[in-house]
């Protein structure tokens, strides 16, 4: 990261705000760029756009050559007040392109040209952190669709429900960070309008996370800043801020692949770690050994072992039963079914508690709102979450996991 001289530590100084005032063991997420890879650049632009100190181009060129020689792939350029006058950032990009053309460069004046240094810097760093991966993936997607004869070129959903070209999405991947749930929230809005229910809850549950969005007056609520990697899921300020328009939703780290265990206190806990898709839940038969939410759902009869993925995959009930029995039921002294029910309901209650806070903070009573479920595990748990909230209507569309 290249920053105005004296400001390279803005990522760690943050807002100088304690999100939990009396927590003596307060934890903050580690910056994406360690301090030894953050560099001061002699330059200074004032708040009104006036150049106070000119850009030291020789310093930038020397840094560029050194970073290239040491194998650095991506650079975030975050100069003070560049949202007012981006000239220094743009010239820095030109110098880096000349001396180290291999470097991928993101400018804060392009990624998020807005006031507030910490948020702008954090967003720019996160953008360039994933930019190479996103560009290659999207380019491959466009190429393969073209080979299949799909016309015209694809467009990519943005985090607030808009769309962008593949080229724009690849250059600013931070804007598609929450695009999947945004698509589901838009679908929920369309179903609600069609059913003359303009206020509802949109519930998404996949393999690793569960999310809930409030739809008000026929449209998902949108916020212009959110956080990722929170140390505490319900405490604003405990994560890394991302300053882009995004569908306003609450998220917890539980999904179909979330691992269940008995902790040191002898209590059942679920997540946030996940078995992922490889090896996946025990019932997938791909080498997983830790019981997951999907294994519990299978034992409770919520999943058909002979018709998973439309019949394309058979689930191993006996393996799931053995894992839940040895890792959960026996340590707790309960039956396998009781252990599975504990896993299932624990997830539902966690999501319901988060949903209740999310809705009430926005002036809505979740018990009076219908719930639209989507995602691979959304319909499996949607009814349980709605029951915990006191809601009486649940909508599960066909192919909700697609």
């Amino acid at each position: 990261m290249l920053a105005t001289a004296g400001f390279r530590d803005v990522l760690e100084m943050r807002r100088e705000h304690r999100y939990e005032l009396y927590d003596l063991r307060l934890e903050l997420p580690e910056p994406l760029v360690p301090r030894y890879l953050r560099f001061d650049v002699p330059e200074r632009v004032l708040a009104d756009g006036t150049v106070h100190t000119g850009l030291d181009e020789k310093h930038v060129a020397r840094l560029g050559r050194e970073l290239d020689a040491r194998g650095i792939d991506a650079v975030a350029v975050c100069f003070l007040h560049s949202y007012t006058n981006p000239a220094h950032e743009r010239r820095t990009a030109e110098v880096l392109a000349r001396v180290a053309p291999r470097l991928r460069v993101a400018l804060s004046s392009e990624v998020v040209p807005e006031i507030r240094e910490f948020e702008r810097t954090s967003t720019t760093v996160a953008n360039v952190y994933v930019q190479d991966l996103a560009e290659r993936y999207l380019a491959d997607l466009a190429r393969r669709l073209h080979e299949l004869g799909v016309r015209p070129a694809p467009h990519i959903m943005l985090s607030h429900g808009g769309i962008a070209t593949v080229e724009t999405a690849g250059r600013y991947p931070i804007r598609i960070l929450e695009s999947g749930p945004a698509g589901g929230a838009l679908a929920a809005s369309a179903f609600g309008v069609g059913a003359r229910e303009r206020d509802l809850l949109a519930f998404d549950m996949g393999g690793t996370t569960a999310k809930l969005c409030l739809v008000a007056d026929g449209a998902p609520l949108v916020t212009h800043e959110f956080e990722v990697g929170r140390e505490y899921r319900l405490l604003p300020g405990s994560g890394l801020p991302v300053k882009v328009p995004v569908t306003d939703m609450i998220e917890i780290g539980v999904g179909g692949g979330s691992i269940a265990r008995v902790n040191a206190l002898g209590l059942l806990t679920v997540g946030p770690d996940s078995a992922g898709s490889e090896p996946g839940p025990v019932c997938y038969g791909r080498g997983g050994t830790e019981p997951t939410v999907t294994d519990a759902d299978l034992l409770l009869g919520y999943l058909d072992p002979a018709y998973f993925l439309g019949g394309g995959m058979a689930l191993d009930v006996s393996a799931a039963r053995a894992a839940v029995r040895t890792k959960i039921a026996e340590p707790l002294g309960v039956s396998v079914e009781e252990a599975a029910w504990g896993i299932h309901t624990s997830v539902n209650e966690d999501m319901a508690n988060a949903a209740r806070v999310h809705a009430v903070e926005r002036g809505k009573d979740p018990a009076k709102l219908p719930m639209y479920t989507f995602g691979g595990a959304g319909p499996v748990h949607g009814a349980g979450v709605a029951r915990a909230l006191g809601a009486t209507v649940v909508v599960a569309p066909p192919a909700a996991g697609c």
Side-chain angles (χ1 to χ4, degrees), residues 22-368:
Y22 300 107
D23 186 351
L24 299 181
R25 297 182 178 180
L26 190 78
E27 295 183 11
L28 294 170
E30 289 291 327
L32 293 178
V33 185
R35 194 171 195 269
Y36 72 92
L37 290 178
R38 304 196 298 261
F39 299 92
D40 286 335
V41 174
E43 69 86 34
R44 185 63 179 267
V45 173
L46 302 182
D48 62 357
T50 303
V51 176
H52 179 272
T53 303
L55 175 67
D56 189 337
E57 296 187 15
K58 293 182 179 179
H59 184 86
V60 172
R62 186 165 57 251
L63 270 177
R65 295 189 187 95
E66 181 179 348
L67 294 175
D68 187 39
R70 292 180 178 272
I72 299 300
D73 296 314
V75 176
V77 181
C78 308
F79 291 159
L80 203 64
H81 303 306
S82 61
Y83 55 88
T84 303
N85 182 355
H88 284 180
E89 285 195 352
R90 291 174 179 173
R91 182 54 186 157
T92 295
E94 292 171 358
V95 173
L96 291 177
R98 173 171 53 83
V99 301
R102 187 185 62 84
L103 289 178
R104 186 177 302 277
V105 179
L107 307 181
S108 70
S109 55
E110 294 182 353
V111 176
V112 52
E114 299 181 33
I115 196 171
R116 299 183 75 87
E117 296 306 315
F118 171 50
E119 288 81 356
R120 184 160 54 87
T121 302
S122 176
T123 305
T124 305
V125 167
N127 186 85
V128 78
Y129 187 85
V130 299
Q131 188 175 348
D132 177 60
L133 179 65
E135 278 191 348
R136 287 189 286 109
Y137 178 88
L138 292 173
D140 181 62
L141 173 67
R143 177 186 59 79
R144 294 170 68 180
L145 288 173
H146 183 79
E147 291 174 353
L148 290 172
V150 177
R151 303 289 189 275
H155 283 73
I156 308 301
M157 177 77 70
L158 299 177
S159 298
H160 66 293
I163 58 173
T165 63
V166 168
E167 292 74 18
T168 299
R171 187 174 183 182
Y172 305 109
I174 201 67
R175 299 178 185 175
I176 64 174
L177 189 60
E178 293 287 328
S179 56
L186 287 177
S189 303
F191 267 77
V193 171
R196 298 183 180 179
E197 293 282 0
R198 300 183 66 83
D199 294 345
L200 68 153
L201 296 173
F203 173 58
D204 170 29
M205 186 172 177
T208 58
T209 57
K211 304 176 184 181
L212 187 137
C213 171
L214 180 65
V215 175
D217 196 24
L221 298 183
V222 174
T223 182
H224 292 273
E225 182 178 328
F226 74 113
E227 292 181 343
V228 297
R230 279 183 176 175
E231 296 293 331
Y232 298 92
R233 61 182 175 87
L234 295 179
L235 285 181
S238 65
L240 298 173
V242 176
K243 198 172 180 62
V244 293
V246 61
T247 302
D248 189 12
M249 58 182 64
I250 191 74
E251 174 181 322
I252 65 172
V254 291
S258 295
I259 296 172
R261 60 172 52 86
V262 177
N263 65 18
L265 299 177
L267 301 176
L268 174 64
T269 61
V270 182
D273 52 331
S274 172
S277 57
E278 294 290 342
V282 176
C283 62
Y284 283 9
R286 296 180 174 177
T289 59
E290 300 296 328
T292 66
V293 173
T294 296
D295 295 309
D297 292 341
L298 175 64
L299 296 178
L300 293 171
Y302 287 105
L303 302 176
D304 184 345
Y307 198 70
F308 195 69
L309 294 180
M313 179 179 182
L315 299 181
D316 191 337
V317 179
S318 60
R321 178 175 292 275
V324 172
R325 183 181 65 251
T326 57
K327 298 293 181 71
I328 307 296
E330 291 177 354
L332 292 178
V334 299
S335 69
V336 172
E337 288 72 20
E338 288 174 324
W341 182 246
I343 296 170
H344 181 87
T345 55
S346 174
V347 170
N348 293 346
E349 290 294 337
D350 281 351
M351 192 66 234
N353 289 335
R356 193 174 292 109
V357 171
H358 182 72
V360 170
E361 284 181 344
R362 287 149 185 81
K364 299 292 184 179
D365 180 359
K368 297 180 180 179

Side-chain angles (χ1 to χ4, degrees), residues 183-192 200-205 370-380 382-383 393-402:
L186 287 177
S189 303
F191 267 77
L200 68 153
L201 296 173
F203 173 58
D204 170 29
M205 186 172 177
M371 177 178 288
Y372 176 93
T373 63
F374 57 100
V380 178
V393 177
V394 177
V395 178
C402 295

